[in-house]
């Protein structure tokens, strides 16, 4: 059975309203403390999500895509920044050693 967009939105809205009413009913129950459940309403979807987040690393399978993502998002930017920093410092040091920059114009001085 294929639903149109309007029917899908209508059903989703009805489902949301039903869940909202159930939450309000459970959270505003004055006798809730007698059941021993405490002050929070149990949410099955939230508990499934939290369990998935905890066991994510146990089910992780390294692939080429995850390797590329880690390489381009973490390793490569750090390596490029380190290379640019070293090249800039070596160039500045070369200017200092050849006397192109006077001591009084240097950024970092001992005196």
């Amino acid at each position: 059975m294929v639903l149109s967009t309007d029917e899908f939105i209508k059903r989703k809205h009805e489902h949301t309203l039903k869940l909202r009413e159930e939450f309000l009913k459970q959270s505003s129950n004055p006798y809730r403390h007698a059941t021993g459940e405490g002050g929070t309403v149990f949410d099955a979807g939230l508990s499934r999500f939290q369990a998935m987040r905890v066991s994510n690393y146990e089910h992780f399978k390294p692939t080429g895509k995850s390797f590329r993502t880690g390489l381009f998002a973490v390793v490569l930017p750090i390596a490029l920044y380190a290379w640019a920093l070293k090249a800039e410092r070596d160039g500045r040091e070369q200017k200092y050693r050849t006397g192109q920059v006077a001591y009084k114009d240097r950024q970092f001085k001992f005196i």
Side-chain angles (χ1 to χ4, degrees):
M1 177 177 174
V2 178
L3 294 176
S4 69
T5 306
D6 293 335
E7 290 175 8
F8 177 76
I9 291 173
K10 193 178 292 184
R11 283 191 182 182
K12 186 173 173 80
H13 181 66
E14 290 171 1
H15 184 68
T16 303
L17 288 176
K18 209 183 319 181
L19 289 174
R20 182 181 297 149
E21 289 173 8
E22 181 67 24
F23 174 79
L24 290 173
K25 178 182 168 187
Q26 287 184 13
S27 64
S28 62
N29 183 1
Y31 303 107
R32 185 168 177 74
H33 66 280
T35 62
E37 293 181 29
T40 60
V41 178
F42 178 74
D43 186 2
L46 184 61
S47 65
R48 280 195 307 271
F49 175 75
Q50 289 173 337
M52 181 271 307
R53 294 291 290 178
V54 168
S55 63
N56 187 25
Y57 293 109
E58 297 171 9
H59 301 289
F60 175 74
K61 293 180 180 65
T63 61
K65 183 179 178 185
S66 65
F67 173 75
R68 283 192 310 269
T69 302
L71 180 70
F72 290 122
V74 178
V75 177
L76 200 58
I78 292 173
L80 287 174
Y81 182 70
W83 173 78
L85 194 63
K86 179 161 177 35
E88 190 267 334
R89 286 185 177 180
D90 287 347
R92 191 175 343 125
E93 180 69 23
Q94 183 63 28
K95 287 181 183 178
Y96 291 163
R97 288 183 180 266
T98 57
Q100 297 176 8
V101 178
Y103 188 76
K104 64 179 178 137
D105 297 332
R106 293 182 186 184
Q107 292 178 341
F108 302 103
K109 297 178 252 193
F110 291 115
I111 302 175

